[in-house]
Amino acid sequence: MFSNTEMSLKVTGIDFLKSQNTQQHHTDGYNIKNLVVRRGQPFQVQVSLNRELRPADKLSLRFGIGENPMKNRGSLLSLKPEREDFNGWKISVVKKNGKECLLSVTSSPNAPVGKYNLHVKTGTDIYKPENGAIYLLFNPWCEDDVVYMANEAQKKEYVLNDTGYIYVGSAYSIYDRPWNFGQFEEFILDACMYLLDKSKLSLNDRRDPANVSRAMSALVNANDDNGVVLGNWSGNYINGTSPMDWIGSVTILQNYYKTKKPVRYGQCWVFAGVLNTVMRCLGVPSRCVSTFDAAHDTEENLRVDIYLNEKGEKLNSLSFDSVWNFHVWNDVWMKRTDLPNGFDGWQAIDSTPQEQSQGRFQCGPCPVKAVREGDVYLPYDSKFVYAEVNADRVYWVVKKVNGKEKYFKVGMETQAIGKNISTKAVGQNRREDITKEYKYPEGSKEERMSMQRAYSFIQPSGLMPRSGYASTIQTLGGNTQPLVLKEPVTKTGLQLEITNTEALYPGNPLEMAITVKISAPGNWTVDLTGSCQLQYYTGKVKANLGTIKETINLEGTSEMQIPLKIAPDAYMKTLSSVEDDVLILVTAIAEVKETNDKLTKETSMRFEYPPITIQMPEIAKLYNDFTCAFIFKNKLNVILENCKLLVEGLGLLKMTTFEQGDIMPGRIMKSEIICTPTRLGEKKIVAKLISNQIKGISTEKAITITK
């Protein structure tokens, strides 16, 4: 006879075989003690027992999720070897070797994502292993997962790449801002799990990336749920970090996880950078998308009204709609099982708090194909996203007539909104233009059909704005009908072009030019009004710098260039006093006296800066220190006050700030730091220089870490 002690089977240990499982699941990058696996794909665990496993023994693995896991709620799964699957999960014995038993577990490809606690039950005994929490993520490598992505290079970019660029500036001068997503860094996965719990999504909702991405778009902003980042566009960031000072998501998410309080402050690229980190961390392919001249159309009438004074200067106070020089959101990749066929693939989500949707500041997922086809009735928020890339821009001049303000329409652009839609190219450090994914070519038959389709769902006159603050404003000019789909063709073929004739360095005169072109035969008199202003990227004007008014005569097909020059004294004080990156806005209004042709054009340009260079070896060995130097020469004619150098390298060095004081014209700044590589492969160092006069010169350099 066996003694009782020998008869009862007990578990003495469990090995999560972390190294082999995480390599197979593409999760070996996560800096965490626990096992991280992806759903729908087998992983193995080795169970050690106090004796050999016999056919009559009862052994089960129990996976529990949430506070109080229960079988009848689906939050506790009890899996027995060789039994038919339970909720799409299955478990089998791979091999038995004495007291060791190797088990293979396959979760369901639509299992709820999150943190599962694993216990092993043998008879009445329950074994609870140390670090027994297993993190289960979405799986773009599994064909049965709705986030499945076939292309290997795309998965490497959109799921596994922890660095990248966010494109900013203006349509006239796009530049890249390096950003560290850092989805594998310490505490980032835990921060994402905390957000999942905080979202209060039901277990069932956690199966679907559409629900999860919508919830995350709400939680990455602090509005209405104490989420991750607090937005601030006021220009005053005294009790927080200026949005310009971040170079990645890691510090933000780590601080949030530590304090459980919103991190101050963000603007659109910060929200998009953090949301990209969260989605990649959870296993959903994700990319940051920048749109230049993005409309914020509060009245959802596909029209943005811009008001100018008689000098041609843009007025802030009258415009409730606005055109942002750029706006950054995210695309996430998934099959949309909740929609008719044809809307799988990229879905736009946006965590910048602009408008409420279903009572919360959240936006998306909206199928990018629905935006292109004009199917703006589809969930979620497709009207809003459609307007961001398709609205018309209408210019009005406000004039005083007999003591009363009157509005005169001086121009309209139908192809000015939603330009140069950009993301980082797959596997390359360059910008990829994805405008064609969001819209058909301007002027094409498909574009016209798509626009007519969109207009059939958007009833401009009766629609109330989605947030209360603009609901009392009647559109000036009264006409809220959709405007004509084509730009008015002028009788004289009048055209305007705005360029800079010298590099736009802070401290130098700003030298620009407005070119007036006419293509019709005859003698023409043109009244030209031009203005130069500093504006924030949200389209809000900060300062008026100067105006010109000229009457010119043109004969036949000809053109004339009118210079517009702004002295440094006119703008340097403003430039030094603002915390944000400001752009130079030039607006021109031309009127042909003989025909009454009117045309308005605006162009935003960014200041140009000398570069920072990084000096370091191209290759270094794991855990062997190397020196990295940052060099900057102030080639500008101004003192750069209160300079700060921010540097970070994932797997190389933590976020570090060097106070550099003032850098005089012609002086060279050099800083050195010792780096210790802790991870293999290609790693990047990102550096950013900030001062009162310049709000961010960024650079980066890659290094390969070998064994």
Side-chain angles (χ1 to χ4, degrees):
M1 287 291 287
F2 293 108
S3 67
N4 282 343
T5 52
E6 197 191 333
M7 280 181 71
S8 63
L9 182 71
K10 281 200 170 69
V11 174
T12 57
I14 185 162
D15 182 349
F16 288 107
L17 305 173
K18 196 175 160 195
S19 155
Q20 83 174 44
N21 283 326
T22 55
Q23 273 180 1
Q24 287 167 1
H25 284 250
H26 305 92
T27 54
D28 44 341
Y30 288 95
N31 186 357
I32 195 166
K33 284 199 177 78
N34 304 64
L35 178 62
V36 182
V37 289
R38 299 186 189 274
R39 63 186 192 175
Q41 185 176 333
F43 63 93
Q44 295 187 342
V45 290
Q46 175 108 357
V47 180
S48 304
L49 303 161
N50 61 342
R51 61 168 173 75
E52 231 176 85
L53 189 65
R54 302 184 187 131
D57 286 330
K58 287 195 162 73
L59 174 106
S60 62
L61 297 191
R62 312 183 81 177
F63 291 89
I65 186 169
E67 285 293 303
N68 188 13
M70 287 160 82
K71 280 187 185 173
N72 60 0
R73 289 203 189 133
S75 54
L76 181 63
L77 306 165
S78 184
L79 306 176
K80 298 179 178 65
E82 316 309 341
R83 289 279 172 88
E84 200 25 65
D85 61 5
F86 185 81
N87 281 12
W89 292 55
K90 41 184 177 296
I91 171 177
S92 60
V93 177
V94 181
K95 67 170 187 228
K96 289 190 281 196
N97 185 4
K99 296 178 184 177
E100 303 290 313
C101 182
L102 184 63
L103 298 173
S104 171
V105 181
T106 308
S107 60
S108 159
N110 72 341
V113 296
K115 197 169 161 181
Y116 289 78
N117 279 307
L118 171 62
H119 298 159
V120 187
K121 191 177 182 200
T122 50
T124 55
D125 190 64
I126 291 182
Y127 177 79
K128 299 181 179 178
E130 201 185 339
N131 293 328
I134 293 178
Y135 293 71
L136 189 69
L137 309 179
F138 291 105
N139 192 353
W141 283 265
C142 169
E143 286 189 32
D144 297 324
D145 194 321
V146 288
V147 300
Y148 173 66
M149 193 172 229
N151 183 305
E152 209 53 46
Q154 287 184 334
K155 285 184 292 226
K156 204 173 164 188
E157 182 68 58
Y158 298 134
V159 185
L160 300 179
N161 196 351
D162 55 1
T163 63
Y165 305 101
I166 296 175
Y167 293 93
V168 295
S170 72
Y172 182 84
S173 43
I174 297 173
Y175 69 105
D176 57 42
R177 209 171 258 168
W179 192 267
N180 285 331
F181 299 116
Q183 65 269 34
F184 303 119
E185 300 303 301
E186 196 178 17
F187 303 124
I188 302 301
L189 182 56
D190 281 318
C192 294
M193 292 296 149
Y194 171 73
L195 290 174
L196 265 182
D197 290 342
K198 197 173 160 54
S199 73
K200 300 277 189 281
L201 283 172
S202 69
L203 265 190
N204 214 22
D205 281 345
R206 282 191 184 205
R207 299 173 187 277
D208 185 359
N211 297 325
V212 171
S213 59
R214 183 161 176 78
M216 293 302 123
S217 83
L219 280 161
V220 163
N221 67 63
N223 302 53
D224 50 45
D225 49 25
N226 252 347
V228 183
V229 179
L230 185 60
N232 183 344
W233 284 265
S234 71
N236 175 5
Y237 313 115
I238 284 169
N239 51 357
T241 301
S242 158
M244 289 299 302
D245 288 13
W246 302 111
I247 51 178
S249 314
V250 179
T251 315
I252 295 171
L253 282 161
Q254 286 174 343
N255 287 354
Y256 178 72
Y257 183 60
K258 199 162 78 190
T259 63
K260 310 291 190 283
K261 287 195 179 80
V263 175
R264 300 159 184 250
Y265 292 102
Q267 289 176 8
C268 71
W269 67 91
V270 182
F271 291 110
V274 172
L275 186 54
N276 212 52
T277 300
V278 169
M279 296 319 297
R280 284 185 186 179
C281 186
L282 293 172
V284 180
S286 178
R287 63 187 186 184
C288 288
V289 173
S290 300
T291 295
F292 292 88
D293 292 330
H296 181 133
D297 172 24
T298 53
E299 302 186 22
E300 278 197 351
N301 58 2
L302 292 188
R303 189 176 102 186
V304 176
D305 294 303
I306 307 280
Y307 299 97
L308 310 169
N309 64 16
E310 292 188 57
K311 290 192 251 175
E313 293 170 331
K314 191 162 87 169
L315 302 165
N316 280 332
S317 54
L318 289 171
S319 301
F320 280 86
D321 297 344
S322 54
V323 176
W324 293 24
N325 282 111
F326 65 89
H327 180 46
V328 193
W329 59 77
N330 306 80
D331 281 346
V332 281
W333 178 270
M334 66 188 69
K335 279 197 183 81
R336 284 297 292 271
T337 51
D338 57 329
L339 297 184
N341 282 345
F343 296 103
D344 297 340
W346 290 115
Q347 316 285 320
I349 58 174
D350 190 346
S351 55
T352 298
Q354 298 186 86
E355 301 279 328
Q356 286 190 335
S357 168
Q358 297 176 323
R360 295 178 81 183
F361 282 96
Q362 57 189 352
C363 181
C366 156
V368 171
K369 285 175 185 159
V371 175
R372 191 177 66 181
E373 302 301 335
D375 288 305
V376 295
Y377 59 93
L378 290 169
Y380 295 86
D381 309 305
S382 51
K383 281 180 186 162
F384 185 73
V385 178
Y386 183 87
E388 285 184 300
V389 298
N390 281 302
D392 292 337
R393 182 154 51 180
V394 184
Y395 292 97
W396 306 84
V397 166
V398 185
K399 293 184 182 176
K400 278 245 166 54
V401 180
N402 302 331
K404 279 193 179 160
E405 288 194 337
K406 284 269 173 91
Y407 302 92
F408 298 90
K409 190 166 136 192
V410 291
M412 160 180 177
E413 294 175 303
T414 63
Q415 299 185 1
I417 299 295
K419 293 205 289 271
N420 309 102
I421 303 175
S422 304
T423 191
K424 179 190 174 300
V426 171
Q428 295 178 308
N429 296 336
R430 63 172 182 84
R431 182 177 76 86
E432 183 188 357
D433 193 299
I434 54 168
T435 312
K436 63 183 182 305
E437 294 182 38
Y438 271 85
K439 46 214 284 203
Y440 285 109
E442 298 279 6
S444 66
K445 192 175 107 212
E446 293 90 347
E447 187 217 16
R448 272 202 307 283
M449 285 167 67
S450 161
M451 201 148 199
Q452 277 157 357
R453 193 165 166 71
Y455 274 131
S456 70
F457 299 112
I458 296 176
Q459 300 297 322
S461 44
L463 251 189
M464 291 301 278
R466 298 200 310 176
S467 66
Y469 77 89
S471 55
T472 54
I473 309 299
Q474 169 62 27
T475 307
L476 297 159
N479 164 26
T480 52
Q481 285 311 304
L483 290 144
V484 287
L485 295 181
K486 281 222 273 294
E487 285 189 33
V489 178
T490 60
K491 299 184 183 79
T492 53
L494 175 64
Q495 278 181 297
L496 290 170
E497 207 172 88
I498 300 167
T499 49
N500 55 311
T501 50
E502 292 292 333
L504 301 168
Y505 289 124
N508 285 11
L510 306 179
E511 300 196 32
M512 292 146 310
I514 300 166
T515 306
V516 184
K517 297 181 181 179
I518 277 198
S519 57
N523 286 335
W524 308 106
T525 314
V526 183
D527 284 338
L528 179 70
T529 306
S531 74
C532 182
Q533 297 169 293
L534 288 183
Q535 75 168 9
Y536 296 119
Y537 88 98
T538 55
K540 190 175 150 201
V541 172
K542 176 64 190 166
N544 297 330
L545 305 184
T547 58
I548 52 165
K549 222 177 174 73
E550 301 238 354
T551 301
I552 57 176
N553 293 301
L554 288 172
E555 202 173 311
T557 304
S558 57
E559 58 179 67
M560 190 180 281
Q561 196 177 66
I562 308 296
L564 172 58
K565 189 171 174 177
I566 306 292
D569 296 356
Y571 71 88
M572 276 312 296
K573 201 167 168 212
T574 306
L575 195 62
S576 308
S577 67
V578 295
E579 291 263 348
D580 295 281
D581 216 2
V582 284
L583 291 125
I584 302 155
L585 169 70
V586 178
T587 311
I589 308 170
E591 286 188 46
V592 182
K593 278 198 171 143
E594 291 80 2
T595 60
N596 213 12
D597 276 356
K598 290 186 184 67
L599 188 64
T600 303
K601 172 136 179 131
E602 66 169 65
T603 299
S604 299
M605 309 172 185
R606 66 178 289 256
F607 285 100
E608 295 171 53
Y609 307 117
I612 312 176
T613 48
I614 300 179
Q615 286 181 348
M616 64 180 182
E618 285 180 13
I619 298 177
K621 284 199 156 62
L622 196 63
Y623 303 118
N624 284 16
D625 291 358
F626 66 89
T627 303
C628 178
F630 306 92
I631 297 156
F632 171 77
K633 181 175 183 183
N634 180 7
K635 293 178 180 169
L636 304 175
N637 294 324
V638 287
I639 302 171
L640 299 179
E641 298 164 317
N642 298 320
C643 293
K644 264 193 315 198
L645 179 69
L646 315 165
V647 295
E648 182 182 45
L650 303 180
L652 299 170
L653 78 145
K654 284 199 159 63
M655 174 80 186
T656 310
T657 304
F658 297 93
E659 300 290 342
Q660 300 285 352
D662 297 352
I663 304 177
M664 308 303 279
R667 288 303 296 273
I668 293 175
M669 165 210 95
K670 185 173 182 183
S671 294
E672 287 190 348
I673 194 163
I674 304 282
C675 302
T676 311
T678 55
R679 268 179 267 162
L680 293 168
E682 187 183 273
K683 299 291 159 212
K684 279 184 183 167
I685 284 196
V686 174
K688 186 174 202 174
L689 185 71
I690 287 170
S691 79
N692 293 9
Q693 288 74 17
I694 50 174
K695 296 306 175 288
I697 305 173
S698 300
T699 189
E700 54 154 31
K701 194 159 184 184
I703 182 168
T704 304
I705 308 302
T706 60
K707 279 188 176 154

